């Protein structure tokens, strides 16, 4: 009798869950949950990709406008969340719009209900558009120099395929409710949706709740992006250089990120900006001090000295993105919504196999062949 009872009790003890679970739903949407025992915060993020609805000069800024309208929920979502001790963050990138609910570990359902509310965009009126356009205008007026330089670099590198995610205020002000409805219907399809969760949660419960809010979206086959050309790989600005790179998982991207980080580390106010993308992207690096500091550093760049440093710094860059629940949910989700098979560790693998000749050749391209 004791042996039978012991077997029953053993069956009731749950097996230890793996660190993360990725689920691809029948409609092409994706869910990824990362379990972090002991984490004191929970990050739940919704990603709305833009395949099929990328910005054009005619629609430039409408995705950013939709972000503002959707983040309102029923009108006071941010206030209700803050009352409950949770916070809402939203931003629009070139490749996705992101909504994050940051809360306590026990507030998983609150976070999911909030994302469900965000997905149900209310009836949009002309007055709502006018109000949000004014807010966006105020946001645009306080963008810093590095942001503006990055936008300039993208436009120089890719023209209309590198339009700023902020948008064109004239297009935003002239948006109509019908234009917004049409764009929302086009972007809210299965392959353009992903939910990520990172924190002290049960994988199965979080996956179930996340799947329920995006499984309804229609399947939209053949959503493909036009690949940006990589001709003229280095763009030179007044205070920066920008290098065109392939997709995040490509080895050349790892080499270029390592080289840019290494060069920037030799400048007192050096910086590097890069957003992981599943199609060709851009790494911008420069000096807050200006062009003279950048030119001098590039002229004196020594591949022998910078090789090991660049590899180490690029590895640290990945680690920094995956430091806390918010970073993990963001980094994994941004890649997931663009390509289900790409993961942050892809860059680490490419750094491990990077050779000195590959790094040296990459550095030579950045410095204009001065090596």
């Amino acid at each position: 009798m004791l042996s039978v009872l012991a077997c029953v009790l053993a069956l009731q003890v749950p097996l230890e869950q793996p660190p993360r679970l990725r689920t691809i739903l029948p409609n092409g949407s994706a869910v990824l949950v990362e379990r972090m025992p002991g984490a004191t915060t929970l990050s739940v993020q919704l990603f709305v990709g833009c395949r099929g609805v990328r910005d054009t000069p005619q629609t430039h800024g409408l995705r950013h406008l939709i972000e503002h309208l959707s983040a309102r929920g029923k009108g006071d979502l941010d206030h209700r969340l803050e009352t409950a001790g949770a916070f809402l963050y939203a931003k629009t990138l070139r490749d996705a719009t992101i909504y994050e609910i940051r809360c306590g570990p026990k507030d998983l359902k609150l976070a999911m209900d909030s994302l469900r509310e965000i997905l149900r965009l209310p009836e949009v009126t002309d007055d709502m558009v006018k109000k949000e356009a004014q807010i966006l205008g105020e946001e645009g007026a306080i963008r810093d120099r590095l942001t503006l330089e990055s936008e300039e670099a993208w436009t120089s590198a890719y023209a209309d395929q590198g339009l700023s995610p902020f948008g064109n205020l004239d297009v935003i002000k002239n948006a109509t409710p019908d234009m917004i409805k049409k764009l929302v219907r086009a972007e809210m399809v299965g392959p353009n949706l992903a939910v990520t969760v990172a924190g002290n949660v049960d994988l199965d419960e979080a996956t179930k709740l996340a799947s329920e809010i995006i499984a309804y979206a229609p399947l939209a086959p053949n959503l493909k992006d036009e690949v940006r050309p990589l001709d003229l790989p280095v763009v030179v600005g007044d205070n920066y250089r920008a290098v065109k790179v392939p997709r995040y998982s490509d080895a050349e991207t790892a080499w270029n990120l390592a080289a840019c980080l290494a060069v920037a580390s030799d400048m007192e106010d050096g910086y590097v900006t890069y957003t992981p993308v599943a199609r060709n992207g851009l790494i911008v690096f420069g000096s807050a001090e200006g062009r003279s500091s950048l030119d001098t550093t590039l002229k004196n760049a020594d591949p022998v000295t910078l090789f090991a440093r660049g590899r180490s710094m690029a590895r640290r860059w990945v680690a920094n993105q995956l430091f806390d629940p918010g970073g993990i949910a963001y980094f994994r989700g941004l890649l997931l919504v663009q390509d289900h098979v790409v993961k942050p560790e892809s860059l680490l693998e490419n750094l491990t196999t990077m050779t000195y000749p590959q790094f040296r050749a990459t550095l030579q391209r950045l410095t204009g062949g001065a090596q």
Side-chain angles (χ1 to χ4, degrees), residues 31 108-110 112-113 116 195 203-214:
V31 173
L108 176 63
K109 189 175 186 304
L110 170 67
M112 292 299 181
D113 287 343
R116 190 192 307 272
V195 174
L203 294 183
D204 295 329
E205 178 190 13
T207 298
K208 179 178 180 295
L209 291 174
S211 300
E212 287 174 350
I213 69 174
I214 56 176

Side-chain angles (χ1 to χ4, degrees), residues 42-343:
L42 177 66
S43 177
V44 181
Q45 300 191 27
L46 166 68
F47 294 79
V48 182
C50 58
R51 282 173 294 184
V53 292
R54 289 197 178 273
D55 288 333
T56 66
Q58 293 73 36
T59 64
H60 188 201
L62 296 191
R63 289 193 307 113
H64 194 181
L65 175 59
I66 291 170
E67 173 223 307
H68 275 239
L69 294 168
S70 297
R72 292 165 50 90
K74 296 176 182 178
D76 60 346
L77 178 59
D78 57 344
H79 176 72
R80 284 182 279 126
L81 283 169
E82 289 178 13
T83 301
F87 299 91
L88 167 64
Y89 305 93
K91 57 184 173 182
T92 299
L93 305 179
R94 284 180 180 80
D95 296 277
T97 302
I98 307 159
Y99 305 89
E100 178 190 14
I101 309 298
R102 195 170 298 180
C103 55
K106 297 182 180 180
D107 292 326
L108 176 63
K109 189 175 186 304
L110 170 67
M112 292 299 181
D113 287 343
S114 299
L115 293 187
R116 190 192 307 272
E117 187 174 328
I118 287 171
L119 282 166
R120 294 174 177 170
L121 181 68
E123 191 69 24
V124 176
T125 65
D126 289 326
D127 285 342
M128 291 168 63
V129 172
K130 182 178 180 180
K131 178 180 178 180
E132 295 304 327
Q134 181 177 350
I135 294 173
L136 283 165
E138 294 168 356
E139 283 186 8
I142 60 174
R143 285 178 293 173
D144 60 30
R145 195 199 90 191
L146 297 188
T147 298
L148 294 173
E149 285 184 350
S150 178
E151 293 177 357
E152 175 186 284
W154 272 91
T155 302
S156 297
Y158 292 115
D160 285 351
Q161 283 194 331
L163 294 175
S164 162
F166 178 83
N168 182 309
L169 284 174
D170 289 332
V171 173
I172 293 170
K173 291 175 183 177
N174 290 313
T176 66
D178 286 342
M179 291 168 62
I180 294 168
K181 285 181 183 178
K182 181 179 179 180
L183 188 59
V184 168
R185 283 196 299 269
E187 71 176 354
M188 292 294 181
V189 294
N192 274 347
L193 297 177
V195 174
T196 55
V197 182
N200 189 12
V201 294
D202 179 85
L203 294 183
D204 295 329
E205 178 190 13
T207 298
K208 179 178 180 295
L209 291 174
S211 300
E212 287 174 350
I213 69 174
I214 56 176
Y216 76 92
L219 177 63
N222 301 321
L223 279 182
K224 295 183 179 180
D225 275 327
E226 180 182 353
V227 178
R228 304 180 181 111
L230 287 178
D231 55 325
L232 300 175
V234 179
V235 175
V236 179
D238 289 341
N239 301 305
Y240 65 85
R241 288 200 181 191
V243 55
K244 295 182 180 181
V245 292
R247 53 191 286 155
Y248 175 83
S249 56
D250 194 285
E252 288 187 32
T253 299
W255 308 341
N256 277 284
L257 183 60
C260 291
L261 287 168
V263 169
S265 71
D266 270 346
M267 293 180 279
E268 184 175 348
D269 294 314
Y271 69 89
V272 175
T273 60
Y274 172 62
T275 301
V277 290
R279 59 179 188 158
N280 297 341
L282 198 70
I283 301 175
V284 183
F285 68 103
S287 169
E289 293 182 351
R291 179 70 175 270
S292 60
S293 175
L294 175 60
D295 286 347
T296 300
T297 303
L298 288 170
K299 181 179 179 179
N300 297 326
D302 176 20
V304 175
T305 303
L306 298 180
F307 176 53
R309 189 199 305 173
R311 172 183 280 162
S312 176
M313 293 186 70
R315 285 173 174 162
R316 196 180 314 140
W317 180 86
V318 175
N320 288 342
Q321 312 304 311
L322 302 173
F323 178 73
D324 59 12
I328 289 171
Y330 167 76
F331 198 6
R332 294 195 182 281
L334 185 58
L335 293 173
L336 185 67
V337 78
Q338 299 177 68
D339 190 327
H340 293 163
V341 302
V342 178
K343 56 184 180 179

